[in-house]
C-alpha cells in the first residue's frame, strides 16, 4: 500500500543516457525515486534495468567502455560531479548483486568489512553489535550465530544472498540498490527477504530490480517499467498493475512481451 | 531416422563401434606418449645418478704425521709470523716421513721412493697440513693423525674409473703405485667415504680435481637468487597489479602487454649482453659479481612473474571486486584486501618457478664473466657475497664439464645432482605454499 503522504525525493535522474561503446543502452530516462520507499524496476531481459541501477552508485565506472551522461542527483547533489568520490558515494548507496558474492572470508568478516573500512565502530564490542544487528535484519542471524568464523562461501545460495544483504546494510547506507536479490532463493527465503525489504523501507530508499511481477506488486510502492532502454512508464505500483497507461506495460505485465 | 524397432540398446551399432575404436586408439596414443616421457625421465635420472653419485664419495688417506719442531718452528717461539714463513715445501718431507711410517707399521714393502709414495696424496695435501698447523700452532712437536685427500688418480682407481690398462700413458701414476694403493686399502689406511667438502668447498685448479667443491658457487647462486627475489617479486607484482587492475585499456597498455609476452620468449643470452653493456660497461659495476648476475636474472625472470601474476589476478572472479567496491572500498582496498590474497598462491608459484628457472640459467652468466671465474674463498659478508667475483652452480657445472680430467667430469654430474636437489626443493615449496594458501570461493 502506498503511503498517503508523499515522501521527499531521494534520487532524481534526468536525461540519463548510457552507452556501452556504440550500444545506446539507456535512452533519456527521467526518474524521481522517493525516500523511504521501495521502487521496483521491471522490464524484459536486456532492457537496461541493471545498467540504470548501476548508474545510481556509479558501479558503471568500473566498465571501461561505459559512458553515462545526464544528471543524477542524490539529495540534490549531482553524483557525477567532478568533486564526488565514487568510493564515498558507494558507502552511502549500498548494493546487493544478482549473484550472491560473499567474500571468501568468515561470515563475521564479511559483514564487518564495510564498517571497518569506513571506521563506523570505535571498539570490538561496537563492531560485534553492528554485525549482529545487520545479520538479524537480514534474517540470517539464527542460522549463522554459532558459526560466525566459518567461511561465508560455505553457506547455501540463499543464505549467501542474505549475508550479502547484511553486508550491504552494515555500512548504514541511505539507499539500497538490489539487483534481482531473490533470483537464487527458494520461496521461503524470498518471503524472508521481501519482509526484510519492507522493513528496510523504514530507514532507506530501496530500489529493487525484479523479474517477478508478483514480487514487484508485493514489495514496492512505485514501479518503473523499462523497455529497450527507455523508461516507458513510472508511477504508483497499484496504478501500474491495475490500469497501465501504456499498451507496452500492459502487454508486459500480462505476459505478452518479455 | 532409424526405425525404432531395429535399434536395440543391447547391440552396438556400427557408428558407435567406430567411435569406440577411435577412442581406444586415442587412449593408446596418450598412454604411449606418457610412457615415452616416463622412459626418458628414468633414463635421465639413471644417467645423472649413475655418473654423479661418485662425486659425493672421496678417497682419503689417514697418516700419523710427526709435526717436527725442527722443521716447522726452528725458533720454538710458536710465533705465528715465523710459522707462516715455512712454505709447503717445508711440510713435504713430513708427509714422506709419515707415509714411510705407515708402510712400516703395516709391514708393507715397496721399492718406490718416498716422493713417489707421497704422490698418492693430493697435490693440495701439503697446503692442507700447513693450514692445519697455522690454525693450531700448539700441535707442533706432536704426532697427529691427519686425513689427507688422495690424489684423483687414486680416487679414480678406487672408483674403477682408473684401471691398470688406462694408466699406460699416464705420467702421474704407475702400476707400482697402484700396488701400493691396494696394500694400503687392505691395511685400512686408504678408504673411500662421504665427502662433505664436495658440497661445501670451493672449486680447485685443474691439477687437483679431488679438492674441488660446489660450496662457493652455491653461495654465488644464493646471492643471485636473493637479488632476483628482492627485485623481481615486488617489481613484478606491482607491475602486474597496475596493469591488470588500474591501467586503462588503450593502445599503450596493449603495446606493453605484447612486449612483456615477447620478453618472456627472448633468449636469455640477450639479457646477458644487455647486462654486460649496461651494468658493467656503462654503470661500471664489478665483473663476475653475483649482484650483476642477479640484475640480469631479474630482467629475465620479470616477464615470467608478471605473466603468472596477471594470470592469477585474472582468475579472481570479478564479482569479488564488485562486492568490495559495492560496500565502498577503494580500488586499492579491493585489490589488497580481497583480490591479492586470492591470487597469492598463483603469484607464489609463478615466482618460485621463475626463481628455479633463474637458478639453472647459464647463458647470460657467460657474458658477465661468471663462468670460468674460480672463487677460492666463500664470501664472508653480504657485501662481499654480492660484490666479490663468484661463479654460480650451473656455471660451475659447465666449467667442470669442459675440463680435460675425467675426475672433473664426475664432479660435473655430481653438481647436477645438487642443482636438481635445489630445484626439486624449490618446486616442492611452491606446491606446499600453494596448498597452504589456496582458498576456495
Ligand atoms: N558490461 C557491459 N558491456 C557491454 N554491454 C553491456 C554490458 N552490460 C550490459 N550491456 C548491454 O546493455 C544492455 C542492457 O543490459 P542490462 O544488463 O542492463 O539489462 P537488464 O535489464 O539488467 O537485463 P536482465 O534482466 O537480463 O538482467 C544490453 O543490451 C546489454 O547487452
Ligand atoms: Mg540485470
Amino acid at each position: 500500500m502506498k503511503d498517503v503522504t508523499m515522501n521527499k525525493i531521494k534520487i532524481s535522474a534526468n536525461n540519463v543516457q548510457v552507452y556501452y561503446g556504440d550500444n545506446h543502452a539507456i535512452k533519456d530516462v527521467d526518474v524521481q525515486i522517493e525516500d523511504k520507499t521501495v521502487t521496483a524496476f521491471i522490464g524484459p531481459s536486456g532492457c537496461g534495468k541493471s545498467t540504470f541501477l548501476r548508474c545510481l552508485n556509479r558501479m558503471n565506472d568500473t566498465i571501461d567502455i561505459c559512458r553515462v551522461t545526464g544528471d543524477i542527483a542524490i539529495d540534490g547533489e549531482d553524483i557525477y560531479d567532478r568533486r564526488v568520490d565514487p568510493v564515498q558515494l558507494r558507502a552511502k548507496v549500498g548494493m546487493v548483486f544478482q549473484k550472491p558474492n560473499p567474500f571468501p572470508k568468515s561470515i563475521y568478516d564479511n559483514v564487518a568489512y564495510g564498517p571497518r573500512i569506513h571506521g563506523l565502530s570505535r571498539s570490538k564490542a561496537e563492531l560485534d553489535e553492528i554485525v549482529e544487528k545487520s545479520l538479524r535484519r537480514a534474517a540470517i542471524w539464527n542460522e549463522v550465530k554459532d558459526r560466525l568464523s566459518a567461511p561465508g562461501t560455505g553457506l547455501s545460495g540463499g543464505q549467501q544472498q542474505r549475508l550479502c544483504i547484511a553486508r550491504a546494510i552494515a555500512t548504514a547506507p541511505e539507499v539500497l540498490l538490489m539487483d534481482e536479490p531473490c533470483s537464487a532463493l527458494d520461496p521461503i527465503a524470498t518471503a524472508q527477504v521481501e519482509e526484510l525489504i519492507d522493513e528496510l523501507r523504514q530507514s532507506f530508499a530501496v530500489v529493487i530490480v525484479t523479474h517477478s511481477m508478483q514480487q514487484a506488486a508485493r514489495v514496492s510502492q512505485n514501479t518503473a517499467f523499462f523497455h529497450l532502454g527507455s523508461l516507458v512508464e513510472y508511477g504508483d505500483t497499484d496504478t501500474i498493475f491495475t490500469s497501465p497507461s501504456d499498451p507496452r506495460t500492459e502487454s508486459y505485465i500480462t505476459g505478452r512481451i518479455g | 531416422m532409424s526405425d525404432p524397432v531395429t535399434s536395440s540398446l543391447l547391440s552396438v551399432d556400427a557408428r558407435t563401434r567406430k567411435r569406440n575404436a577411435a577412442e581406444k586408439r586415442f587412449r593408446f596414443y596418450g598412454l604411449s606418449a606418457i610412457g615415452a616421457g616416463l622412459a626418458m625421465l628414468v633414463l635421465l635420472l639413471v644417467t645423472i645418478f649413475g655418473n654423479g653419485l661418485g662425486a659425493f664419495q672421496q678417497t682419503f688417506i689417514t697418516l700419523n704425521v710427526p709435526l717436527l719442531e725442527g722443521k716447522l718452528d726452528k725458533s720454538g717461539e710458536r710465533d705465528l709470523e715465523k710459522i707462516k714463513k715455512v712454505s709447503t715445501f717445508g711440510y713435504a718431507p713430513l708427509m714422506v716421513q709419515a707415509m714411510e711410517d705407515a708402510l712400516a707399521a703395516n709391514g708393507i714393502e715397496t721399492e718406490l721412493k718416498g716422493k713417489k709414495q707421497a704422490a698418492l696424496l693430493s697435490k693440495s695435501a701439503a697446503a692442507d697440513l700447513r693450514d692445519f698447523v697455522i690454525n693450531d700452532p700448539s700441535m707442533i712437536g706432536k704426532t697427529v693423525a691427519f686425513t689427507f685427500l688422495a690424489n684423483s688418480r687414486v680416487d679414480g682407481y678406487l672408483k674403477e674409473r682408473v684401471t691398470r690398462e688406462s694408466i699406460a700413458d699416464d705420467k702421474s701414476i704407475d702400476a707400482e703405485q697402484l700396488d701400493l694403493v691396494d696394500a694400503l686399502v687392505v691395511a685400512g689406511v686408504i678408504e673411500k667415504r662421504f665427502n662433505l667438502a664436495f658440497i661445501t668447498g670451493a672449486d680447485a685448479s685443474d691439477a687437483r680435481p679431488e679438492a674441488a667443491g660446489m660450496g662457493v658457487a652455491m653461495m654465488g647462486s644464493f646471492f643471485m637468487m636473493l637479488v632476483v627475489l628482492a627485485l623481481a617479486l615486488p617489481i613484478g607484482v606491482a607491475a602486474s597489479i597496475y596493469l591488470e587492475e588500474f591501467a586503462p585499456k588503450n593502445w599503450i597498455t596493449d603495446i606493453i602487454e605484447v612486449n612483456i609476452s615477447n620478453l618472456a620468449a627472448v633468449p636469455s643470452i640477450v639479457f646477458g649482453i644487455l647486462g654486460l653493456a649496461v651494468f658493467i660497461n656503462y654503470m661500471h659495476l664489478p665483473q663476475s659479481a653475483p649482484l650483476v648476475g642477479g640484475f640480469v636474472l631479474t630482467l629475465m625472470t620479470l616477464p615470467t612473474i608478471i605473466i603468472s601474476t596477471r594470470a592469477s589476478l585474472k582468475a579472481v572472479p570479478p564479482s569479488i571486486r564488485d562486492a568490495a567496491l559495492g560496500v565502498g572500498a577503494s580500488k586499492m582496498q579491493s585489490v589488497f584486501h580481497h583480490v591479492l590474497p586470492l591470487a597469492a598462491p598463483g603469484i607464489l608459484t609463478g615466482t618460485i618457478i621463475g626463481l628455479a628457472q633463474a637458478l639453472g640459467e647459464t647463458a647470460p652468466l657467460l657474458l658477465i664473466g661468471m663462468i670460468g671465474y674460480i672463487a677460492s674463498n666463500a664470501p664472508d659478508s653480504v657485501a662481499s657475497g654480492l660484490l666479490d667475483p663468484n661463479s654460480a652452480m650451473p656455471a660451475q657445472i659447465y666449467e667442470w664439464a669442459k675440463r680435460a680430467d675425467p675426475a672433473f667430469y664426475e664432479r660435473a654430474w655430481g653438481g647436477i645432482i645438487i642443482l636438481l636437489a635445489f630445484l626439486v626443493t624449490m618446486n616442492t615449496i611452491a606446491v606446499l605454499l600453494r596448498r597452504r594458501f589456496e582458498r576456495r570461493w
Side-chain angles (χ1 to χ4, degrees), chain B residues 392-408:
Chain B
M393 282 200 275
Q396 183 71 74
I397 292 168
Y398 171 71
E399 177 65 28
W400 282 338
K402 73 180 187 183
R403 287 189 195 166
D405 194 324
F408 279 115

Side-chain angles (χ1 to χ4, degrees), chain B residues 92-120:
Chain B
L94 301 181
M95 286 153 42
V96 172
Q97 183 61 48
M99 197 64 157
E100 277 174 349
D101 291 350
L103 295 187
N106 290 295
I108 299 169
E109 298 200 359
T110 175
E111 278 158 25
L112 289 171
K113 293 210 189 72
K115 256 221 170 115
K116 277 214 144 182
Q117 293 171 12
L120 298 184

Side-chain angles (χ1 to χ4, degrees), chain B residues 360-421:
Chain B
E361 194 54 65
T362 325
L365 306 184
L366 205 64
L367 287 157
I368 53 169
M370 290 187 79
I371 291 182
Y373 185 86
I374 298 175
S376 47
N377 290 309
D380 48 12
S381 67
V382 176
S384 87
L386 289 173
L387 295 172
D388 286 356
N390 203 336
S391 192
M393 282 200 275
Q396 183 71 74
I397 292 168
Y398 171 71
E399 177 65 28
W400 282 338
K402 73 180 187 183
R403 287 189 195 166
D405 194 324
F408 279 115
Y409 187 65
E410 178 191 73
R411 297 188 115 67
W413 287 100
I416 288 173
I417 295 180
I418 296 182
L419 188 60
L420 278 183

Side-chain angles (χ1 to χ4, degrees), chain A residues 18-21 23-26 42-54 60 63-66 98 179-180 209-211 226 229 252:
Chain A
V18 181
Y19 303 85
Y20 289 109
N23 178 9
H24 196 169
I26 291 287
I42 59 170
S45 186
C47 66
K49 305 178 295 293
S50 300
T51 300
F52 186 70
L53 195 71
R54 291 165 62 93
N60 280 336
I63 302 171
D64 281 321
I65 56 167
C66 184
Q98 183 166 352
D179 194 350
E180 300 182 43
V209 172
T210 176
H211 276 292
F226 288 80
Y252 181 70

Side-chain angles (χ1 to χ4, degrees), chain A residues 54 59 62 64 87 90-91 93-95 97 99 101-105 113-114 117-118 153 167-168 171, chain B residues 247-249 319-331 333-334 337-338 341-342 439-441:
Chain A
R54 291 165 62 93
M59 277 302 277
T62 60
D64 281 321
V87 171
R90 289 182 202 130
V93 184
M95 185 158 198
F97 296 84
K99 205 173 130 244
N101 55 356
F103 298 128
K105 296 180 187 289
Y113 182 70
I117 58 172
H118 297 300
T153 39
R167 181 178 67 190
T171 52
Chain B
K249 304 275 170 285
S319 61
I320 298 290
R321 296 178 180 83
D322 284 348
L325 295 179
V327 293
S330 70
K331 187 96 195 178
Q333 284 171 326
S334 104
H337 295 166
H338 302 286
L342 289 175
R439 273 185 289 182
R440 297 188 315 125
W441 56 78

Side-chain angles (χ1 to χ4, degrees), chain B residues 260 263-264 298-310 350-351 353-355 357:
Chain B
I260 290 171
L263 275 183
T298 299
L299 293 178
M300 209 196 77
T301 314
L302 263 177
T304 315
I305 294 187
I306 292 181
I307 288 173
S308 66
T309 303
R310 291 188 68 179
T351 306
I353 287 173
L355 275 187
Q357 230 175 44

Side-chain angles (χ1 to χ4, degrees), chain B residues 151-234:
Chain B
N151 187 294
S152 75
R153 293 297 192 285
V154 175
D155 182 54
Y157 181 61
L158 261 68
K159 289 174 181 167
E160 288 160 11
R161 180 175 67 231
V162 172
T163 61
R164 284 168 192 273
E165 291 80 52
S166 76
I167 58 161
D169 300 325
D170 195 333
K171 285 196 200 73
S172 52
I173 198 153
D174 58 30
E176 282 100 76
Q177 282 173 311
L178 290 187
D179 292 339
L180 182 57
V181 171
D182 284 338
L184 285 170
V185 170
V186 173
V189 176
I190 295 187
E191 59 172 351
K192 200 170 73 176
R193 55 166 200 246
F194 178 68
N195 180 23
L196 187 65
F198 175 63
I199 301 173
T200 58
D203 191 15
S205 67
D206 279 7
R208 301 179 290 119
E210 65 276 3
M214 205 53 178
V216 177
M218 226 187 270
M219 293 299 281
S221 280
F222 170 77
F223 280 104
M224 285 204 298
M225 290 307 109
L226 219 58
V227 174
V228 175
L229 189 66
L231 290 178
L233 183 62

